[in-house]
Amino acid sequence: MPALYDTFLIQEPLRQDPFAVTHNPNDTATRIDIYRKSILYFEERHRRRAVERLKYELGLLYVQQGEWERALKVLKPLWEGVSWRLEGWWPILAALGEVVRECAVRCGDGDMVVRGAWEGTNSLSLTFAFASTRGNVGEPLPAQVVITSHARQSTAPIIISQLLICFDGGLKDIGIKHEAQQEPGAANLDSNQVHHISLDTEPSTAEASAPVQLSPQDGLLGACDLTLSPGSKKILSFDLIPKDSGVVRVANITSTIETDSFEFRHIVAQADQMRQEDYWQQTTEGLTRTPAGNRSSNEIRIHPKPPKMRIEIPGLQKEYLTDETVTLEVEITNDEDDDAEVTLEARFLGQADTVPTLAWTNDATAPGLTEDPLTDWLKKQTPSNQLGHVEQSGRRKIHVTFMAGPQPTEAVLEIKALYHLIAEPDTPVTKLLVHEIVFDRPFEANYDFQPSIDPQPMLNYFHIAETKDSDNTAQGLRQLWTSTIRLASIATEPLIIEEVTLHLNGTPHAAICTITSDPTPATAQAATTIAPNGFHESRFSLLAQKLDLDDRRPTTFTFHLQTRWRRAYHPGGAPPLATTTLSAPHLLVPFGEPRVLAAALPSLLEKNNDAEAEAEPGSIIIPLDYTIENPSTHVLTFSVAMETSDAFAFSGPKAIASLRLVPLSRRTLRYRVFPLVSGRWITPELRVLDTGFQQVVRVQGTGPGMRSEGNGAASFWVADAAGE
């Protein structure tokens, strides 16, 4: 009972502070049990720092009890994975290391003794730095690694058997083997010098004498004296050749120390631990350093190798014309430091249905540029060309041919040279030439359709053949029309027009149309040169005829214009021919309607004065014929009246009350017009009325020098004294 009262207000010492009692063996066992339960408790709740602290204190408790094996069993895993090392808690980490090292010595764990001693003394630091923040594929990239010894002066020199540097990115790993100096003590004299190491894929004689972890296929090998005295540093520099573009960073640096008793590897994989504050360089004044600043010294961006191959196209223009065939001479100049194997590719970028087709051509494979099969030949060619071997400072020439499409468009010509140097077959290099090209039409056309008077007489209504020809020859109504086409050049240089032709689009139902070119001297020339913004005029006769005489329905004809042309100047000799097709307006031919056709006859001009006298108003008499046609199958009656005007005087019937035309007939009325003005259009107003249908028939002008007006009249031009 007294014990009950003694512990009512104050607990027993063991209950108050279990850690304060150490003399009682039973109390120590209780404390160990509490530590283990606490460790499990905090591990379940992922309290890492609490667990590490409890394990450290448990290990100390074992050490106090002299249980070295149990202490090493607890403290060794803690030392290997403790978070204090990452967080920089060096004092407590050093205390842990001392305890672990002591336990390892007591237990005979040599591996742990070396590892603990290495970290306790912090013997080596390994840092890496690139010379710049960017590099290029295939170009030397200076870099260096600095090994610093922090060993106490009383310790022996450290000999690193091998140094391995691994990269993430387009650089090969580096392996540096130890190669002792010939003179004893020479390693101590060069501790403050930059040692340049030659790297190669083949090991040297010294390297071949020992096993090498890094094979020539995996990386580069080098050799250097890797002996470091206490407190010294060794700067190793070398040149790297990047093979691929992208970001390259140091993955880890591993130093290996081999002795008769053990083999020790020190791996540095954290970027901040490998970061180098300065980049060291050897000058005549000794070592100089360039601060790295805020950049990461062990990370660099590799850009594609800048090509030194030149692509030139003499005479390349910014504008070409549709439908023309163009051959460009491409010059390839090798300004690299070595011979190269070159492949060329060419293409147009733009809308797939409008960009031209191109191919590499030469005299042996390309057909004639004026032949029609050229288009099909171009479509079968590949856009690449194996140019082959190009010597250093050499130049090669090759031709690329393309045929522009029929529609105006904009495209980008891309010529690409894919090559590699003979000494670097695994390093592809690309040189690109990009040029924007505009394709415009060479011409614009203006079309004028005029009816003409058919020189052949109309069919005789009373002598129509009762049988039709067996070859389906057209026997119906016919009309003659004239098409005057004015081509305007919108090119920036002279063009030579070889031929202009008008073609019918298909065959209309129950009708034919025969197209013939005007045989005037101006249009019959073999070739005509048209200057920029100049004009070229062509005339065509269109004979439209129905197949059946009973068919009097109007018929629509559609046409397209083809112009064969070439450039006036071409650097390669005779320029190739091109054919441009332009759409033309449709023509509606009213076969069954009556017509009134007006024609001025300049060939019958009569002068009152001498031929050398200047033309004056009233001195020229212009015969003016009005032809009235009746293509119907019944008799038509017309009334005709000529209005007077202040611009001219005339002789001829002023009014005809009843002019009867039998079916399929025509009648011509001639007026002699005396112009009272000059240098202007004169419009005689002849009124022709179909009395049966009470409709006014529109007068249409025919031939050159005449035009049809919107009010149903026809005008003719009277030149002034200057002939204009």
Side-chain angles (χ1 to χ4, degrees):
M1 293 302 294
L4 178 62
Y5 293 100
D6 293 341
T7 59
F8 177 73
L9 297 177
I10 301 176
Q11 294 183 354
E12 299 178 12
L14 180 61
R15 300 296 182 183
Q16 294 183 22
D17 187 4
F19 306 105
V21 180
T22 59
H23 63 278
N24 192 336
N26 296 330
D27 295 341
T28 302
T30 303
R31 293 173 60 188
I32 292 175
D33 183 63
I34 293 175
Y35 272 116
R36 289 176 176 176
K37 292 181 179 179
S38 300
I39 290 173
L40 293 176
Y41 176 84
F42 286 109
E43 281 182 344
E44 292 176 355
R45 287 155 179 78
H46 306 288
R47 301 289 297 275
R48 181 179 179 182
R49 292 183 179 178
V51 172
E52 292 174 346
R53 176 186 173 183
L54 292 173
K55 286 184 178 181
Y56 175 57
E57 293 179 353
L58 178 59
L60 292 180
L61 183 58
Y62 281 131
V63 170
Q64 292 176 4
Q65 297 299 321
E67 299 183 11
W68 303 102
E69 293 184 358
R70 288 189 175 183
L72 183 62
K73 186 177 180 181
V74 174
L75 296 179
K76 182 177 180 180
L78 175 64
W79 179 85
E80 291 176 344
V82 71
S83 64
W84 308 339
R85 186 178 292 107
L86 297 176
E87 296 172 357
W89 295 356
W90 307 119
I92 189 173
L93 182 63
L96 174 62
E98 290 290 341
V99 176
V100 173
R101 190 162 57 250
E102 180 68 20
C103 294
V105 171
R106 299 278 185 169
C107 298
D109 190 346
D111 177 72
M112 191 62 228
V113 172
V114 175
R115 294 168 63 187
W118 182 269
E119 184 175 66
T121 58
N122 192 17
S123 299
L124 287 181
S125 64
L126 303 173
T127 60
F128 187 95
F130 291 104
S132 61
T133 58
R134 56 172 293 171
N136 296 316
V137 173
E139 295 186 354
L141 177 63
Q144 64 182 212
V145 59
V146 178
I147 310 173
T148 305
S149 172
H150 302 284
R152 294 186 294 269
Q153 293 295 329
S154 59
T155 60
I158 299 175
I159 300 177
I160 300 177
S161 303
Q162 177 174 281
L163 191 68
L164 179 62
I165 306 172
C166 299
F167 298 95
D168 289 335
L171 286 177
K172 291 185 176 181
D173 297 341
I174 301 173
I176 303 175
K177 295 291 291 184
H178 170 65
E179 187 176 86
Q181 297 288 341
Q182 299 297 329
E183 299 181 4
N188 298 332
L189 300 177
D190 58 0
S191 60
N192 292 322
Q193 296 180 3
V194 177
H195 303 273
H196 187 77
I197 301 175
S198 298
L199 301 177
D200 199 355
T201 56
E202 296 295 335
S204 63
T205 304
E207 296 169 16
S209 62
V212 180
Q213 297 178 358
L214 188 67
S215 64
Q217 292 77 11
D218 296 332
L220 303 174
L221 303 177
C224 182
D225 192 331
L226 299 180
T227 303
L228 280 86
S229 301
S232 66
K233 67 171 175 287
K234 191 174 287 288
I235 305 172
L236 309 179
S237 68
F238 34 79
D239 291 333
L240 306 174
I241 306 296
K243 299 299 182 182
D244 299 312
S245 60
V247 177
V248 177
R249 59 179 58 89
V250 181
N252 57 73
I253 304 175
T254 302
S255 59
T256 302
I257 300 176
E258 297 178 358
T259 66
D260 296 336
S261 303
F262 63 88
E263 177 180 335
F264 177 79
R265 293 181 186 177
H266 176 214
I267 302 176
V268 181
Q270 297 182 17
D272 57 341
Q273 294 183 7
M274 293 184 291
R275 185 178 183 274
Q276 189 167 307
E277 299 293 337
D278 304 301
Y279 188 85
W280 299 89
Q281 292 178 323
Q282 190 76 46
T283 63
T284 56
E285 300 178 355
L287 281 178
T288 61
R289 58 185 180 181
T290 302
N294 295 327
R295 72 178 180 91
S296 177
S297 64
N298 46 46
E299 181 176 309
I300 190 172
R301 176 171 291 277
I302 304 300
H303 297 267
K305 181 177 181 179
K308 297 181 181 179
M309 193 77 64
R310 284 191 289 125
I311 304 177
E312 298 175 324
I313 306 180
L316 181 61
Q317 303 178 14
K318 294 183 178 180
E319 179 179 338
Y320 288 94
L321 303 177
T322 58
D323 303 299
E324 73 170 325
T325 301
V326 179
T327 299
L328 301 175
E329 184 181 70
V330 182
E331 294 183 358
I332 305 298
T333 305
N334 184 8
D335 290 337
E336 297 281 359
D337 298 331
D338 193 7
D339 298 354
E341 290 289 333
V342 183
T343 299
L344 295 179
E345 292 184 358
R347 62 173 179 170
F348 274 104
L349 303 178
Q351 296 183 1
D353 55 341
T354 60
V355 296
T357 303
L358 52 76
W360 299 100
T361 58
N362 52 61
D363 297 338
T365 60
L369 295 180
T370 59
E371 299 180 3
D372 294 337
L374 178 62
T375 303
D376 297 334
W377 181 86
L378 286 174
K379 293 180 179 179
K380 298 178 182 179
Q381 304 306 306
T382 59
S384 61
N385 181 276
Q386 188 70 31
L387 189 61
H389 188 83
V390 180
E391 297 180 350
Q392 179 185 358
S393 302
R395 176 177 295 182
R396 297 282 297 275
K397 295 182 180 180
I398 191 172
H399 295 84
V400 61
T401 299
F402 64 86
M403 178 174 289
Q407 299 298 328
T409 185
E410 294 182 1
V412 176
L413 174 62
E414 179 186 272
I415 296 183
K416 183 188 301 183
L418 305 173
Y419 67 96
H420 66 267
L421 302 183
I422 300 300
E424 301 177 5
D426 297 332
T427 304
V429 186
T430 302
K431 176 64 176 181
L432 195 63
L433 174 67
V434 177
H435 185 77
E436 295 183 0
I437 297 179
V438 177
F439 294 93
D440 285 334
R441 284 195 179 98
F443 309 105
E444 289 182 349
N446 182 27
Y447 303 86
D448 182 23
F449 291 100
Q450 281 187 326
S452 297
I453 299 176
D454 190 355
Q456 298 294 329
M458 298 188 68
L459 296 175
N460 192 328
Y461 182 75
F462 301 100
H463 297 85
I464 297 177
E466 296 182 358
T467 61
K468 296 183 180 180
D469 297 340
S470 59
D471 57 354
N472 294 328
T473 303
Q475 297 181 353
L477 297 175
R478 50 186 279 170
Q479 287 188 10
L480 184 65
W481 290 74
T482 299
S483 175
T484 302
I485 301 175
R486 288 171 58 87
L487 278 178
S489 174
I490 56 178
T492 57
E493 61 179 85
L495 303 178
I496 297 177
I497 297 179
E498 297 286 348
E499 183 184 18
V500 179
T501 55
L502 186 66
H503 300 270
L504 184 67
N505 294 337
T507 302
H509 178 68
I512 61 173
C513 182
T514 304
I515 303 174
T516 57
S517 179
D518 189 350
T520 58
T523 59
Q525 297 179 2
T528 303
T529 301
I530 179 172
N533 300 321
F535 294 91
H536 178 274
E537 186 173 290
S538 301
R539 293 189 180 92
F540 300 91
S541 296
L542 313 177
L543 181 58
Q545 187 173 8
K546 284 286 189 178
L547 298 179
D548 191 351
L549 181 61
D550 296 332
D551 186 2
R552 284 172 168 76
R553 294 172 299 175
T555 302
T556 300
F557 298 91
T558 58
F559 308 92
H560 66 271
L561 184 71
Q562 284 190 350
T563 305
R564 293 174 59 86
W565 59 274
R566 55 186 172 88
R567 292 180 180 266
Y569 308 105
H570 193 270
L577 283 175
T579 302
T580 297
T581 301
L582 301 176
S583 60
H586 66 272
L587 172 64
L588 178 62
V589 180
F591 285 98
E593 298 180 4
R595 298 190 303 173
V596 179
L597 307 179
L601 305 178
S603 60
L604 301 179
L605 293 181
E606 301 176 4
K607 287 190 177 182
N608 293 335
N609 301 329
D610 296 338
E612 298 179 357
E614 294 183 354
E616 297 179 357
S619 64
I620 299 177
I621 300 176
I622 300 178
L624 188 61
D625 288 351
Y626 290 92
T627 300
I628 305 175
E629 294 182 349
N630 177 18
S632 65
T633 57
H634 47 272
V635 178
L636 297 180
T637 302
F638 300 93
S639 65
V640 181
M642 173 67 79
E643 302 291 339
T644 60
S645 174
D646 296 336
F648 64 91
F650 70 92
S651 65
K654 180 177 178 57
I656 300 177
S658 177
L659 180 63
R660 300 173 65 86
L661 271 73
V662 298
L664 302 180
S665 65
R666 66 166 67 109
R667 176 78 177 270
T668 300
L669 304 177
R670 172 164 292 183
Y671 291 84
R672 297 164 60 87
V673 178
F674 300 84
L676 303 179
V677 295
S678 61
R680 55 172 287 189
W681 290 91
I682 294 180
T683 307
E685 295 187 6
L686 181 72
R687 186 173 184 273
V688 180
L689 176 65
D690 184 352
T691 57
F693 293 93
Q694 290 297 309
Q695 290 184 351
V696 176
V697 182
R698 184 168 61 93
V699 179
Q700 303 178 65
T702 63
M706 294 205 69
R707 69 182 185 186
S708 300
E709 303 293 346
N711 58 356
S715 302
F716 63 90
W717 176 259
V718 179
D720 55 12
E724 298 180 354

